[in-house]
Amino acid sequence: MLDVLAVTVPVFLIIGAGYLAVWRGVFTQGQVDGLMVFTQRFAIPCLLFLAVSGLNLAEGFEWRLLTAYYSGSIVCFIAGILGTLFWLKRGPEDAVAVGFAAMFANTVLLGLPIAERAFGPESLTPNYAIIALHAAFCYFVGVATMETVRAGGSGFVGGARTVARSLATNPLMLGVALGLAVNLAGLSLPGPADEAVRLIASAALPAALFGLGGVLVQYRPEGDARGIALCCAIALLLHPAWAWGAGRLLGLEEGAFRAAVLTAAMAPGVNSYLFAAMHGRAVRITASSVLIGTAASVVTVSGWLLVL
């Protein structure tokens, strides 16, 4: 158990340090915003570019890995919708927003550093394969469902166009796309350029963890406590349990199996709140789920690591 805590506690201590720094006024919210701009527009795209450009595509994009993880995403999305409709007694648009939060795991800011500390940087190939498809998959499912239940406004086509434009200009997606292009073309960066990209990428995860803590100060644990509990339980327990069962059923290789389960065990990502805010639905539940889910994952992720 001490070995597991040695993996998870440092990650959450960095998040906690960012939270305390902003909460106590040592680091301003504007400075945190600037730090997150650096990590999300420069450092993490560089990290993803390097990872995908050197990825063994046949090994990384293994259908059993993607099936084990993303079938769980769909199950969590449906569970969030049904729980919101029949347990919380809220409308279908709120249900889609809660379902999206239950489905959208924090695969990068939490998933990568914990997996790297647990199993080593050489184990991250399946993690990067999941990350490469994650935002596009979740947003497509979320927007398609939201526009379907709304049956009005810009409609499904308009919503899909909005998401497509957003993803096409998203720095994380651009990092993945450029890395994939370099990989397929068999190219490599010149030595000095490669070293510069690696230097920027080396700052990505610690800076992002500190910034995530600062961002969480903006969220308050308010709203429907049952809704928060529903969302967190699905994200932290159901998703990894499903990935575990599906991975064993499909005979997933051990490294990919661990990546699927551990990535599925991550708390709801900040994009959960952004999706809810974009549609004006279940905003307090999703914001609180990001905050409380991240705090609760200190225990739940340690538990899943112990089982693994």
Side-chain angles (χ1 to χ4, degrees), residues 73-117:
S73 297
I74 292 294
V75 167
C76 290
F77 183 62
I78 294 172
I81 290 175
L82 294 178
T84 305
L85 289 174
F86 297 109
W87 187 42
L88 304 183
K89 306 297 184 183
R90 298 180 67 149
E93 293 181 28
D94 283 357
V96 174
V98 173
F100 185 90
M103 167 177 64
F104 200 103
N106 196 336
T107 58
V108 177
L109 302 189
L110 283 181
L112 282 181
I114 291 175
E116 183 177 14
R117 288 185 57 79

Side-chain angles (χ1 to χ4, degrees), residues 32-75:
V32 167
D33 292 341
L35 179 63
M36 292 305 283
V37 167
F38 166 72
T39 58
Q40 295 188 346
R41 295 188 184 179
F42 298 97
I44 294 176
C46 285
L47 177 68
L48 295 178
F49 168 80
L50 289 173
V52 176
S53 64
L55 192 66
N56 182 328
L57 298 180
E59 177 186 345
F61 290 93
E62 212 270 341
W63 71 269
R64 292 175 299 174
L65 165 71
L66 300 178
T67 300
Y69 182 86
Y70 284 110
S71 64
S73 297
I74 292 294
V75 167

